[in-house]
Amino acid sequence: MTVNQIQVHVENIKCGGCEKSIVKGLESMDGVSNIVIDREQQLISVTADESLREPLIAKLKSMGYPEHGSVAGIEAGLTNAKSFVSCAIGRMS
């Protein structure tokens, strides 16, 4: 196991509600810790084994925060809509 700092540039982080949802979602993943979100840079950094990079990216996408440049067209619209839901949930929790 090689534990590294993994950084992922994502889309759709708009507010503290988004950040709360992302942290909550990533905390549910075994082996992910030290979650840091830079809203201005749209950058998420975590400490995790490199083998978790793809599952991490998939988890973020499922919550509406796809890796920057990875979605387009209708799929981009759908992930944007998911991010609004995640954001609202984050603001309420």
Side-chain angles (χ1 to χ4, degrees):
M1 233 168 82
T2 308
V3 176
N4 292 326
Q5 192 70 19
I6 297 175
Q7 296 186 325
V8 182
H9 279 93
V10 298
E11 298 177 6
N12 302 331
I13 303 174
K14 300 171 203 65
C15 67
C18 295
E19 292 175 8
K20 277 180 156 177
S21 288
I22 291 167
V23 168
K24 189 172 183 177
L26 296 183
E27 282 178 339
S28 72
M29 294 180 69
D30 287 336
V32 175
S33 62
N34 301 325
I35 301 161
V36 177
I37 299 171
D38 182 334
R39 188 185 322 166
E40 190 175 303
Q41 298 293 319
Q42 300 283 297
L43 182 68
I44 299 171
S45 300
V46 304
T47 301
D49 185 87
E50 189 61 34
S51 67
L52 293 176
R53 176 178 285 281
E54 290 307 315
L56 181 76
I57 290 170
K59 176 75 169 180
L60 289 165
K61 183 178 177 183
S62 76
M63 295 187 309
Y65 306 100
E67 189 170 22
H68 183 72
S70 68
V71 295
I74 292 172
E75 190 177 16
L78 291 173
T79 58
N80 196 31
K82 286 179 189 176
S83 75
F84 279 111
V85 173
S86 290
C87 174
I89 292 168
R91 280 186 280 172
M92 291 187 292
S93 60

